[in-house]
Each structure stands twice: as C-alpha cells, then as structure tokens.
Amino acid sequence: MRYEHTQVGYVTGGLTLAALPLVYYAFMVEAGHLGVLGYAVLGGFGGIAVLFSSLTVKVTEQELVFYFGPDFWTRRFALDDIIGAEVVRNSALYGWGIRYTHHGWLYNVSGLRAVELTIRGEGHIRIGTNEPEGLKHALEEAMDH
C-alpha cells in the first residue's frame, strides 16, 4: 500500500445525527408516537450518518480505490488510466456527499479541498480530502513507477 487516508466527516455526520432528535420530536408532537414512517425516517437519517461518516482513499501499486464509511460506494481506477491529478478548491455550493458538478463527479465528506483527477474514459472526478497534497504526491509517485 503506497497511501491510505481516511477523512472523517464530522460536520456531515454531526448534522445528520443532530437531525435525529428533531425528527423524533416532530413525530411525537404530531402523532404522539413514531409509527412506521417515523421509524423509517429515523432509520434513514441514521443510515446516512453511518454510510457517509468518512471517506477512505487508498493508492496501491496498481489502482486508486476510495469509498465512503464502511466500504460503501466503492470506486476503483487503474493507475494506468489516470492521466493527471491537480489540487483544487471546491465551491461551498457543491456541498458534501456524491454530486455531479460542472467539473465532473465529486466525492466529499467535509471541507472544500480536493484532488481533481483526469481519468481515461471517465473524464474528470474530484475526491475531497483534508490532505490533497499528500494524495496528489502519492498518485504521481505511483504513476511514475
């Protein structure tokens, strides 16, 4: 393994978890009990909090791999298909999670910094990270070998 880093999404996870008591309270005030819909909404928010709690990026000898939370939404790209990597700053309007922007797909759990990759057959994607220089360096070093 040439590189591995996990960025925890404290803000995204915190905001999602903070919504749980609000949802609970809203259902209890309205109906006096949660009911099926209330449990479904609470479960949905809880699931989102877990699935998008972190973003792990790995650079091996052959590929770039990244995924959210507990190995959710895994993407893999052969290093041979990566044409370039640049450190970029995302607009705050792009938000967090998985988004399509005019720069291509964005995968992000926190912050505004990212590495924009040009990938053969895919175009551009951005991977949010709190250490973009380290990821760029690891990719460039791996692609040179």
Side-chain angles (χ1 to χ4, degrees), residues 53-101:
S53 62
S54 64
L55 178 61
T56 300
V57 181
K58 299 178 182 180
V59 178
T60 69
E61 299 298 322
Q62 295 85 24
E63 65 183 356
L64 164 71
V65 180
F66 60 93
Y67 55 86
F68 288 95
D71 205 359
F72 171 72
W73 202 283
T74 301
R75 297 292 316 261
R76 297 175 179 277
F77 296 101
L79 293 178
D80 292 341
D81 290 337
I82 299 174
I83 299 167
E86 293 300 321
V87 173
V88 295
R89 182 175 175 83
N90 294 317
S91 165
L93 299 176
Y94 293 170
W96 299 304
I98 302 168
R99 303 269 192 279
Y100 191 79
T101 72

